Amino acid sequence: MKFAEIAGHRELKNKLRKLVHNERVGHALLFYGPEGNGALPLSMALAQYLCCDDKSSGDSCGKCMNCKLFTSNNYPDIHFVYPVAKTQKSKDKPLSTDFREEWNTLLKTEKYFGLYRWLETLGVENKQAQISVYESADILKKLSLKSYGGKYKFVIIWMPERMNNSASNKILKILEEPPAFTFFFLVTEDTDVLLQTITSRCQKIQVNRYPLDITKEFLMEEEALDQNTASVIAQIAEGNLSLARKLCERSESYRDYAVHFSSWVRACFKADTHLILNWVEECSRYEREKLKDFIRFCSNTFRQALNLNYSESDHSNDVFNDIGFELSKFSPFVNSANASSILELIDSAEYDVSRNANPKIVLTDLSLKMSRQLRVKP
Ligand SMILES: [Zn+2]
């Protein structure tokens, strides 16, 4: 993977390049930050860059023998470790290598994936996946083998927070006396649960969540979304490209959501019980996941409206323009006097829906309370 294939992170990529050129890449690196931040592909790009024979462009050349091996997933001295669980295919002591094919395929199709997506691919999303002590033993065994021909060996441990204690201790032993020409790249979302003795041996690389503009660009370029929809999804995804991608699967719903949102707030503002009940009837037909998605959309829209009161930003990109609902005219009704209550009401509705409460009751209750809130004067 080239650095150029990964969204955003211009400064961080420069920093990694510099580390390579100044020969300051430590034997153990800890990439840390929230889900969907591109940390895993970045660690892979760094590995390839270290091995590339022609770094003159500031990125891997993609043409030398090593680059070709990396690109085709055939570089023999890179070992991936990730959480796994027992499946039909691997019933006893499952190891990462048992699932390498699934891993390569997922990396190829959606490189920003999170843990849930990975487990879903394996069909074990309801199981407790972990990195076991057998896995650590397997790494030790692989590292004791002679390097295939390339200069460097790599062990990329994704989600090391899923190592149990005995696995962690075994890894720690290797980190204490690292074999020559071997790099360990740990990619974590949660440094707090890692052994402090492990993190203290790692050079730390913070990988921040993606800013709004990069998320939007990613959605338009890689998911071929139009500007309006990309803009809405980018706001909801909050810099998590894995989530952004998932939300795309429902993107055709956003126009629908906008229509339902506008008729809802109009009905609430007028306190028109008949209109409210019609709206409840219609929205409670959404299946549960979609209803949760719609409620998140509403929550995000209220936030946007609130922000509009404090910024000059023009909202010509908004999905609401398509349906003739002007968010800027609605925004004064969401203000400092009611905003936090409104967001609380919505959060609690989302919570209730996810706890299998009856959607009609939740939406009716939410609407009646919302009706009161929307008429609170600033
Ligand atoms: Zn190359």
Side-chain angles (χ1 to χ4, degrees):
M1 189 157 336
K2 288 182 168 199
F3 285 123
E5 291 169 61
I6 302 162
H9 293 312
R10 231 177 75 197
E11 279 173 29
L12 180 55
K13 287 173 185 170
N14 278 334
K15 181 179 162 182
L16 294 174
R17 267 182 216 118
K18 247 188 212 157
L19 287 177
V20 174
H21 290 287
N22 299 336
E23 298 182 4
R24 302 296 293 261
V25 182
H27 73 273
L29 266 60
L30 181 69
F31 293 79
Y32 68 98
E35 185 187 281
N37 62 353
L40 175 64
L42 279 170
S43 73
M44 293 166 63
L46 176 62
Q48 182 169 339
Y49 193 58
L50 275 160
C51 295
C52 175
D53 295 327
D54 178 9
K55 301 179 179 52
S56 56
S57 68
D59 204 339
S60 302
C61 72
K63 293 179 190 139
C64 69
M65 177 60 87
N66 281 333
C67 277
K68 282 183 178 156
L69 288 172
F70 268 98
T71 312
S72 59
N73 288 321
N74 286 316
Y75 187 83
D77 289 318
I78 186 163
H79 306 292
F80 289 96
V81 174
Y82 31 78
V84 291
K86 287 180 186 173
T87 66
Q88 286 291 19
K89 186 169 126 184
S90 186
K91 285 182 178 148
D92 186 39
K93 299 178 185 167
L95 292 175
S96 296
T97 42
D98 301 337
F99 302 98
R100 183 69 194 265
E101 209 185 309
E102 290 88 338
W103 176 258
N104 286 344
T105 308
L106 191 59
L107 268 176
K108 204 170 178 178
T109 51
E110 41 186 294
K111 51 185 172 285
Y112 305 98
F113 62 87
L115 184 63
Y116 185 81
R117 180 75 186 99
W118 165 238
L119 299 181
E120 202 178 40
T121 308
L122 299 183
V124 295
E125 60 271 36
N126 297 320
K127 289 189 187 168
Q128 191 63 23
Q130 61 160 353
I131 297 172
S132 69
V133 68
Y134 311 112
E135 192 79 68
S136 306
D138 193 54
I139 299 174
L140 275 173
K141 197 173 95 193
K142 280 175 180 148
L143 292 180
S144 67
L145 299 175
K146 199 173 170 298
S147 152
Y148 171 80
K151 189 175 171 189
Y152 300 125
K153 289 184 182 184
F154 299 93
V155 178
I156 297 189
I157 308 181
W158 182 65
M159 296 275 154
E161 54 267 50
R162 288 297 178 118
M163 291 193 286
N164 60 24
N165 263 345
S166 34
S168 300
N169 281 317
K170 229 175 179 126
I171 291 289
L172 181 61
K173 289 232 169 65
I174 319 177
L175 292 183
E176 280 169 339
E177 291 172 49
F181 302 114
T182 302
F183 292 101
F184 285 83
F185 296 163
L186 281 64
V187 181
T188 181
E189 285 171 17
D190 188 358
T191 47
D192 292 345
V193 298
L194 295 177
L195 289 183
Q196 206 262 326
T197 39
I198 287 187
T199 54
S200 66
R201 281 184 169 72
C202 295
Q203 191 173 356
K204 292 169 193 68
I205 310 285
Q206 183 171 6
V207 187
N208 294 326
R209 69 178 71 247
Y210 279 107
L212 195 64
D213 55 333
I214 302 282
T215 313
K216 192 174 152 190
E217 211 174 278
F218 163 81
L219 289 166
M220 289 168 68
E221 279 171 16
E222 304 221 359
E223 301 293 326
L225 287 191
D226 63 85
Q227 192 161 307
N228 290 356
T229 317
S231 179
V232 175
I233 295 189
Q235 304 233 17
I236 299 179
E238 296 184 329
N240 176 345
L241 295 197
S242 173
L243 176 61
R245 197 179 179 283
K246 191 172 162 233
L247 292 171
C248 282
E249 290 164 14
R250 295 194 280 264
S251 64
E252 77 288 349
S253 311
Y254 282 88
R255 198 175 183 281
D256 230 28
Y257 291 172
V259 170
H260 276 131
F261 179 86
S262 62
S263 54
W264 180 45
V265 290
R266 281 184 183 125
C268 287
F269 190 70
K270 288 187 208 156
D272 185 326
T273 320
H274 180 68
L275 285 180
I276 287 178
L277 291 179
N278 276 348
W279 178 86
V280 168
E281 191 65 39
E282 251 180 66
C283 288
S284 54
R285 282 192 209 123
Y286 279 146
E287 50 106 0
R288 203 165 292 272
E289 276 312 305
K290 200 164 175 180
L291 182 56
K292 271 162 59 185
D293 199 37
F294 171 59
I295 296 176
R296 278 194 291 268
F297 174 90
C298 295
S299 164
N300 181 62
T301 306
F302 278 114
R303 268 172 238 260
Q304 248 179 294
L306 180 67
N307 288 340
L308 274 181
N309 294 326
Y310 304 103
S311 76
E312 292 294 310
S313 78
D314 90 325
H315 243 76
S316 52
N317 286 343
D318 207 274
V319 72
F320 285 101
N321 283 356
D322 283 358
I323 59 158
F325 179 82
E326 283 181 62
L327 206 57
S328 55
K329 285 195 178 150
F330 170 65
S331 62
F333 298 103
V334 186
N335 48 60
S336 55
N338 62 7
S340 63
S341 308
I342 287 178
L343 294 174
E344 262 170 42
L345 285 177
I346 296 198
D347 279 354
S348 110
E350 189 191 344
Y351 178 78
D352 291 341
V353 169
S354 63
R355 303 272 299 211
N356 285 334
N358 180 325
K360 275 189 194 175
I361 297 177
V362 176
L363 293 177
T364 309
D365 181 55
L366 172 66
S367 303
L368 297 177
K369 287 176 180 156
M370 189 61 74
S371 183
R372 241 169 283 143
Q373 286 301 331
L374 282 179
R375 282 171 294 143
V376 170
K377 295 268 180 305

